[in-house]
Amino acid sequence: MTVIQQTVFEVLEPGEYPAIVSRVEAVEGQYGPQLRWQFTLEHGNTLSAWTSQTFSQRSKLYAWVRACFGGREIPAGWALDTAKLPGRPVRLIVVTEQGRDGEFSKVRELLPPRKFPASAPAAPASPPPPAAPVRDLFDDDDDSNDLPF
């Protein structure tokens, strides 16, 4: 006997969610070769989304890869290695759509991560005492080993 646990999908509120690219894999889709992206959100939820494997300046794949690399311009002729995408922080624009089986969450757009959280508190009236420097997770000052371009 085989026991199969039922999968229950949670519908997220539409909005912007910080996430990490957890996996990008090539799959054969209804419309030909595609990439299946998996994103992990702050609270452990995961979302999947698909792009074509067309890597041109007008493709969704190109825009999403650009977001993964902080919105930087991608050099002409650069070849995408999807193994460089997992672990990258991004922001997801999530919408709710109606499907034949009910409502579902859909990744509408991928954006670069924010430098500072959107809910950051207002600056204090007087500066805090100096602290030891800490490298910000999204610090762009040292990209020497981070980006392939």
Side-chain angles (χ1 to χ4, degrees), residues 124 126-132:
S126 60

Side-chain angles (χ1 to χ4, degrees), residues 41-45:
L41 284 64
E42 287 180 326
H43 302 292
N45 294 358

Side-chain angles (χ1 to χ4, degrees), residues 16-22 38-42 45 47 87-92 110-111 113 138:
E16 181 180 303
Y17 292 86
I20 300 292
V21 177
S22 39
Q38 185 174 25
F39 304 98
T40 303
L41 284 64
E42 287 180 326
N45 294 358
L47 281 175
R88 297 213 169 262
V90 293
R91 287 181 292 147
L92 307 179
L110 213 66
L111 300 172
F138 304 116

Side-chain angles (χ1 to χ4, degrees), residues 44-86:
N45 294 358
T46 60
L47 281 175
S48 294
W50 288 259
T51 63
S52 73
Q53 290 188 26
T54 302
F55 191 55
S56 71
Q57 289 184 346
R58 290 187 245 167
S59 69
K60 181 165 85 171
L61 173 60
Y62 188 93
W64 284 23
V65 168
R66 191 170 176 204
C68 288
F69 289 105
R72 291 179 180 81
E73 292 295 325
I74 297 173
W78 181 74
L80 170 62
D81 177 357
T82 59
K84 305 260 188 226
L85 300 173

Side-chain angles (χ1 to χ4, degrees), residues 72-119:
R72 291 179 180 81
E73 292 295 325
I74 297 173
W78 181 74
L80 170 62
D81 177 357
T82 59
K84 305 260 188 226
L85 300 173
R88 297 213 169 262
V90 293
R91 287 181 292 147
L92 307 179
I93 302 301
V94 176
V95 297
T96 302
E97 292 197 357
Q98 185 68 37
R100 69 174 181 252
D101 297 328
E103 286 188 333
F104 64 96
S105 296
K106 180 176 181 175
V107 177
R108 171 72 62 197
E109 191 174 352
L110 213 66
L111 300 172
R114 289 190 188 276
K115 287 280 191 185
F116 303 101
S119 60

